[in-house]
Amino acid sequence: MKVLIRGGYVLAQPGADVLVEDGVIVAVGPDLAAQGATVLNASGKVVLPGFVDTHRHMAQASLRGFAADMSLGEYLATFARKIGARQDLDDVRNSVRLAAAEAIDAGVTTILDWSSVSAPEQIEVALETLQETGLRVLFGHSNPDDEADVRKRASQTEIALAPLGPDYLSIEDTARHIKLAR
């Protein structure tokens, strides 16, 4: 089914139309042609063709709330490195699916997944599951010490490097991670 939303105020691009096919935004632009589409007149309305979340930990969705009273340092030492590292592949898959459903329900269609998984097999499952969701995703590889895996993934998919930085790492490690990111 094609739906063309016309005449509204599109926040991402004022004066544009939004074309949706089978529930997926396929085009945003002025005067879109969409033969056979149902046209919705959005005059006087604001049209939001999908929000962008630039920092979400998709593989931690099923663990949300466990660390609400921890400082960031405690969280990284206790939760992320111990509990999160013990997630099996089904835990990763189900958490990513839950996070995707929550995002879509909130109108979020584009995500930077600041990944909390670091083992290559966890990363593989997370990436496969993210592709199944229909979301636009930039994967933040959080294990820059595995340079071979970072380089391999960079040739396969859209990734970013998501290291901790100088607040939690040495200047030398931070410089090495920046060099790899470049």
Side-chain angles (χ1 to χ4, degrees):
M1 174 180 194
K2 283 187 189 180
V3 176
L4 180 64
I5 303 169
R6 179 161 284 172
Y9 181 83
V10 179
L11 287 185
Q13 188 177 351
D17 300 328
V18 178
L19 179 60
V20 180
E21 289 184 23
D22 298 321
V24 176
I25 298 167
V26 295
V28 177
D31 301 316
L32 293 178
Q35 193 168 10
T38 301
V39 178
L40 298 179
N41 181 357
S43 296
K45 307 276 192 274
V46 174
V47 179
L48 305 169
F51 291 109
V52 176
D53 183 336
T54 61
H55 189 132
R56 188 174 288 229
H57 301 276
M58 303 288 282
Q60 290 181 2
S62 62
L63 304 171
R64 193 176 349 277
F66 276 90
D69 59 347
M70 291 182 182
S71 70
L72 181 59
E74 291 172 314
Y75 164 80
L76 292 171
T78 303
F79 186 76
R81 292 196 183 106
K82 293 180 181 170
I83 297 171
R86 292 189 182 128
Q87 287 182 296
D88 66 26
L89 300 182
D90 284 334
D91 293 334
V92 171
R93 185 178 294 107
N94 291 329
S95 289
V96 170
R97 287 178 177 154
L98 173 60
E102 291 171 336
I104 292 166
D105 185 56
V108 175
T109 60
T110 302
I111 292 174
L112 169 71
D113 178 11
W114 190 294
S115 179
S116 57
V117 296
S118 58
E121 56 277 358
Q122 288 178 317
I123 292 169
E124 191 66 35
V125 166
L127 287 169
E128 287 172 4
T129 308
L130 287 166
Q131 288 176 342
E132 294 169 5
T133 68
L135 293 166
R136 290 181 295 272
V137 178
L138 178 61
F139 184 78
H141 199 300
S142 62
N143 188 6
D145 292 322
D146 190 348
E147 184 174 338
D149 193 63
V150 170
R151 291 187 185 283
K152 173 184 145 189
R153 305 280 177 202
S155 68
Q156 295 174 342
T157 189
E158 292 292 321
I159 74 159
L161 207 56
L164 291 175
D167 288 347
Y168 297 95
L169 301 173
S170 70
I171 293 298
E172 295 78 20
D173 284 341
T174 300
R176 186 170 43 80
H177 296 163
I178 291 169
K179 182 178 177 184
L180 176 60
R182 287 185 174 142

